[in-house]
């Protein structure tokens, strides 16, 4: 679907001032100003975030009480279970806290529910099993804040419960010995964007301080925490929380930690994905290589293998697990492609782009582990909130649904409005899950779409590209793009800069690349400056682009491609339009 281009306005005098005072290029000065950074001290901290910028862990709401109770449980020799989620954030959070408790001498095990059989979060049957096995303290990571009934079950079973989470909470909080959450009522923690692994890292840090009886931890614990920053970085990037404030610090230093001391399992995964050859890791390496392989384990009901990869001390086992998860991700990719094609066909048969404000698609046998990815791709394609529901082929179980949102639409609230049609639901503004009886699908679809209609105006149903700046290809020297890279880590809240330019010509026909020709390789020229462009997921553009005879306007993200020791600027093309169309459309 066509996108609206909105180019960020700029102040020439402020750009010139930052060029001189901050010693950056005009493009970077404009990018910094576009992010609200015009103070030199702000810019210095943004471009060089220090680990010392992390707040004292005891300031995080709930940490002092939780750390006190966990320390006492370790001292008393109680059996502790870390109960985590099955996505990459949950897996890294579980591994991180489990390793910490092990290091501190705790009797500790872990539990992650099977995504396909148990679904998200705490469940009564798992708690009963843990209690029967001798568990005395259950610590949740990346889940539990909305598990009110399950918390009552834990209490009835005699299990002490500590909840650590970052998801949306209900008006009522679960009955627990302690709750750690950045937005815990009655507190005013200045940053509410930590993910599950970020929360777990803060708790682990506080536990290490208490064990050391000092703010300065022992050398062994410091070594553990520096490696744990790498796990927190994986959770932060894959959970798509804003890469600002403490998250920016965790990811910047976590990427360095992953490259330097990744642990046995991650080292093998880095080798298999050829990331070990890179001099520096980027967020995209987590988002497109490491994260999907950990997520594949959870999506296909084998999250425990992701946990084992992160914690094993056996080199042979580390290699075997890395190879298996690598292959598993390939299976996940094939499943995703087949479901995407089926869901896209269904959408095209049902969807009225002029009128419908949301999409609710369902079928029997869609793999519940990958429908969330497909929902995200469709939400991006149609710029509408999308719910995908997989029904049991035999009709013996309820349907599982995954929902993905678009900017400005609150999925959590939408599902609350539709709760009478659902068996359960959970999540946050951007992503959510649900369970539903098949008989309730029509009523849910109608209620969800009506709510979306009331929240999303017709003008907001056209995707908008927020472009940071205009820049000619001649401005994108290696030095200029290296300066742009200093603004990393890029992700939610600090997206990789999106630029645009006009007067681009193709020096040869577009070439499809990648599995199934999903991507596009382009040879671009502007005023005798030539560059390579890659359009990921843009394979469908090939025929249309080949027919264009005039110049093009393009929206793109500049990156540095390293190949055979050579570093070149490359453009990741996000959108394009024929020059005549671009001129007719104008700029908004």
């Amino acid at each position: 679907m066509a996108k609206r281009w909105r180019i960020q306005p700029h102040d020439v005098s402020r750009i010139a001032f930052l060029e001189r005072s901050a010693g950056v290029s005009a493009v970077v000065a404009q990018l910094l100003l576009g992010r609200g950074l015009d103070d030199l001290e702000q810019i210095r901290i943004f471009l060089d975030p220090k680990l010392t910028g992390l707040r004292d862990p005891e300031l995080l709401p709930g940490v002092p009480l939780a750390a006190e109770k966990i320390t006492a449980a370790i001292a008393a020799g109680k059996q502790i279970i870390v109960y985590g989620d099955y996505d990459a954030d949950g897996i890294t959070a579980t591994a991180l806290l489990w390793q910490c408790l092990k290091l501190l001498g705790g009797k500790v095990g872990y539990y992650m529910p099977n995504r396909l059989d148990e679904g998200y979060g705490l469940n009564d049957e798992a708690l009963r099993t843990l209690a029967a096995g001798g568990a005395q303290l259950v610590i949740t990571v990346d889940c539990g804040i909305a598990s009110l009934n399950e918390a009552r079950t834990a209490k009835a079973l005699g299990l002490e419960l500590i909840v650590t989470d970052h998801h949306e909470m209900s008006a009522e909080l679960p009955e627990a010995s302690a709750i750690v959450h950045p937005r815990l009522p009655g507190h005013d923690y200045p940053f509410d964007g930590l993910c599950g692994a970020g929360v777990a890292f803060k708790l682990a840090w506080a536990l290490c301080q208490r064990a050391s009886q000092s703010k300065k931890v022992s050398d062994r614990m410091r070594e553990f925490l520096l490696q744990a920053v790498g796990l927190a970085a994986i959770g932060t990037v894959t959970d798509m929380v804003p890469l600002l404030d403490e998250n920016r610090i965790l990811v910047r230093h976590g990427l360095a930690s992953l490259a330097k001391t990744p642990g046995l399992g991650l080292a093998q995964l880095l080798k298999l994905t050829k990331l070990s050859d890179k001099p520096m890791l980027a967020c995209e390496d987590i988002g497109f290589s490491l994260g999907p392989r950990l997520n594949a384990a959870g999506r296909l009901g084998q999250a425990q293998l992701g946990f084992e990869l992160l914690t094993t001390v056996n080199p042979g086992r580390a290699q075997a697990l890395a190879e298996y998860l690598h292959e598993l991700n390939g299976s996940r990719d094939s499943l995703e492609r087949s479901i995407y094609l089926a869901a896209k066909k269904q959408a095209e048969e049902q969807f009225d782009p002029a009128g419908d404000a949301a999409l609710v698609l369902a079928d029997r046998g869609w793999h519940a582990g990958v429908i969330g990815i497909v929902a995200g791709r469709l939400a991006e394609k149609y710029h509408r909130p999308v719910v995908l529901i997989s029904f049991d082929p035999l009709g013996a179980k309820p349907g599982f649904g995954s929902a993905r949102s678009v900017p400005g639409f609150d999925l959590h609230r939408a599902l609350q409005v539709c709760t009478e049609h659902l068996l359960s639901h959970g999540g946050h503004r951007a992503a959510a899950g649900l369970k539903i009886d098949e008989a309730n699908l029509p009523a849910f679809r109608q209620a969800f779409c009506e709510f979306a209609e009331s929240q999303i105006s017709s003008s907001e149903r056209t995707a908008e590209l927020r472009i940071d700046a205009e820049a000619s290809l001649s401005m994108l020297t290696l030095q200029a793009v290296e300066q742009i890279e200093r603004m990393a880590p890029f992700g939610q809240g600090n997206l990789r800069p999106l630029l645009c330019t006009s007067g681009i010509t193709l020096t040869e026909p577009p070439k499809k690349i990648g599995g199934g020709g999903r991507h596009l390789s382009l040879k671009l020229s502007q005023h005798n400056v030539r560059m390579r462009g890659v359009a990921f997921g843009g394979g469908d553009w090939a025929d249309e682009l080949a027919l264009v005879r005039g110049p093009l306007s393009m929206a793109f993200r500049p990156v540095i491609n390293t190949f055979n020791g050579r570093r070149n600027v490359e453009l990741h093309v996000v959108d394009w339009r024929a020059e005549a169309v671009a001129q007719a459309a104008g700029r908004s």
Side-chain angles (χ1 to χ4, degrees):
M1 297 178 70
K3 295 181 175 67
R4 240 187 351 254
W5 291 15
R6 187 180 295 278
I7 301 174
Q8 180 85 10
H10 59 279
D11 183 330
V12 175
S13 62
R14 292 297 296 163
I15 290 172
F17 170 75
L18 281 190
E19 270 191 277
R20 294 190 305 271
S21 57
V24 296
S25 68
V27 172
V28 171
Q30 186 170 344
L31 296 175
L32 291 169
L33 288 169
R35 282 156 171 74
L37 299 168
D38 59 0
D39 176 81
L40 292 182
E41 181 62 13
Q42 275 185 323
I43 290 170
R44 183 191 65 77
I45 294 171
F46 181 81
L47 295 179
D48 188 21
K50 305 284 190 187
L51 267 175
T52 52
L54 292 173
R55 296 177 185 87
D56 188 309
E58 298 265 349
L59 296 176
L60 185 66
V63 160
L65 182 57
E68 177 187 327
K69 290 186 174 297
I70 294 169
T71 300
I74 293 172
K78 290 185 177 181
Q79 178 64 51
I80 304 171
I81 298 294
V82 180
Y83 191 117
D85 188 22
Y86 41 64
D87 66 0
D89 184 20
I91 293 170
T92 51
T94 304
L96 192 162
L97 192 56
W98 181 89
Q99 287 177 316
C100 176
L101 298 180
K102 200 84 171 171
L103 176 65
L104 300 179
K107 289 173 59 180
V108 58
Y110 78 96
Y111 187 88
M112 283 183 286
N114 185 297
R115 182 185 192 120
L116 307 178
D117 297 331
E118 299 173 82
Y120 169 76
L122 286 171
N123 70 80
D124 291 342
E125 190 57 39
L127 290 171
R128 292 189 188 97
T129 301
L130 293 173
Q136 294 167 283
L137 169 62
V138 173
I139 309 170
T140 74
V141 290
D142 197 32
C143 64
I145 197 64
S147 301
L148 306 183
N149 292 330
E150 291 79 7
R152 295 186 190 102
T153 298
K155 186 175 181 180
L157 290 167
L159 288 170
E160 184 178 6
L161 180 66
I162 293 175
V163 172
T164 81
D165 202 353
H166 71 113
H167 290 100
E168 296 294 334
M169 60 189 80
S170 308
E172 182 184 353
L173 294 175
E175 294 182 54
S177 293
I179 299 175
V180 181
H181 195 294
R183 298 187 298 282
L184 197 63
H187 298 263
D188 57 354
Y189 194 67
F191 181 60
D192 66 3
L194 291 170
C195 69
V199 172
F201 174 80
K202 283 298 193 85
L203 178 56
W205 184 8
L207 289 168
C208 288
Q209 286 183 335
R210 288 182 178 239
S212 302
Q213 297 183 331
S214 168
K215 292 294 182 184
K216 184 177 181 180
V217 303
S218 70
D219 289 344
R220 189 176 174 210
M221 291 176 190
R222 183 176 183 274
E223 183 181 333
F224 158 72
L225 288 171
L226 288 174
Q227 191 171 49
V229 172
L231 295 181
I234 294 174
T236 301
V237 172
T238 56
D239 217 50
M240 300 185 73
V241 289
L243 294 190
L244 303 171
D245 203 278
E246 291 188 292
N247 286 344
R248 181 172 174 78
I249 299 170
L250 287 171
V251 173
R252 170 69 74 88
H253 292 275
L255 288 168
S257 171
L258 288 170
K260 186 178 179 182
T261 55
L264 288 179
L266 282 175
Q268 289 294 331
L269 210 53
L270 288 166
K271 184 177 179 181
L272 277 171
T273 54
K274 303 191 185 312
L275 294 178
S276 57
D277 299 335
K278 293 188 64 173
M280 292 177 60
L281 294 176
C283 279
E284 289 90 343
D285 297 322
I286 292 177
F288 297 114
S289 293
L290 297 182
R293 283 159 177 79
L294 287 177
N295 269 325
R299 290 186 181 282
L300 300 182
Q302 301 180 67
Q304 73 280 1
L305 297 183
F307 171 90
E308 192 181 349
L309 177 89
L310 299 179
T311 58
T312 184
V313 293
N314 182 320
R317 184 64 176 158
Q319 182 176 348
L321 285 165
E323 289 172 352
Y324 182 72
L325 292 186
H326 189 60
E327 293 172 4
L328 202 63
N329 186 57
S331 301
R332 188 272 313 158
D333 189 51
S334 298
L335 276 170
E336 177 195 331
R337 270 187 278 173
S338 63
I339 294 172
Y340 175 78
L341 291 173
K344 180 169 169 280
K345 181 182 178 183
Q346 191 179 127
E348 289 168 351
E349 291 170 350
Q350 297 180 8
F351 179 54
D352 175 11
D356 293 341
L359 274 170
V360 178
L361 308 171
D363 206 346
R364 294 186 181 278
W366 281 349
H367 198 290
V370 299
I371 54 176
I373 306 174
V374 176
R377 289 181 62 188
L378 292 173
E380 183 177 358
K381 177 178 177 62
Y382 294 110
H383 198 64
R384 304 286 195 281
V386 174
V387 183
L388 251 65
I389 300 171
S390 171
F391 287 115
D392 179 19
L394 301 178
K397 300 177 182 178
F400 283 87
S402 284
R404 295 295 182 269
S405 191
V406 292
F409 184 77
D410 188 341
L411 265 181
H412 180 71
R413 184 180 167 208
L415 294 183
Q416 283 183 317
V417 169
C418 302
T419 191
E420 64 181 297
H421 309 299
L422 302 173
L423 295 172
S424 63
H425 64 85
H428 44 78
R429 292 178 61 92
L434 59 90
K435 286 185 183 180
I436 183 173
D437 281 332
E438 190 167 358
N440 290 340
L441 175 62
F444 168 69
R445 177 183 280 128
Q446 181 176 346
F448 186 85
C449 291
E450 285 179 355
F451 180 77
E453 182 78 29
S454 72
Q455 299 295 307
I456 308 172
S457 68
S458 56
S459 63
E460 291 174 321
R461 297 172 202 172
T462 299
E464 183 176 87
L465 284 182
R466 293 182 177 271
I467 295 172
D468 294 288
E470 294 183 79
S472 65
L473 298 191
S474 62
M475 296 172 67
L476 301 175
T477 63
L478 186 61
Q479 182 181 17
V481 180
E482 283 174 340
Q483 284 194 350
I484 291 174
E485 290 293 334
R486 287 187 62 202
M487 297 175 65
F490 298 120
Q492 294 298 309
N494 183 43
L495 295 175
R496 183 175 284 278
L498 181 62
L499 310 179
C500 71
T501 193
S502 56
I504 294 281
T505 57
L506 298 179
T507 61
E508 58 184 65
K511 180 182 178 182
K512 289 187 178 183
I513 58 174
R518 287 185 293 168
H519 314 306
L520 210 57
S521 175
L522 305 167
K523 297 296 179 66
L524 311 174
S525 178
Q526 181 192 56
H527 308 308
N528 296 320
V529 177
R530 297 193 173 198
M531 284 187 184
R532 180 175 184 254
V534 179
F536 290 102
D540 293 345
W541 291 343
D543 294 340
E544 192 177 355
L545 269 170
L547 295 174
V548 176
R549 293 292 174 261
L552 302 162
S553 293
M554 285 195 167
F556 57 87
R557 294 189 167 94
V559 301
I560 296 174
N561 181 36
T562 302
F563 183 70
N564 284 342
R566 299 183 61 185
R567 305 173 78 238
N568 297 296
V569 176
E570 183 175 276
L571 307 185
H572 288 179
V573 179
V574 173
D575 198 19
W576 64 276
R577 50 178 67 169
E579 195 81 355
V581 175
Q583 290 172 358
R587 297 190 179 94
S588 55

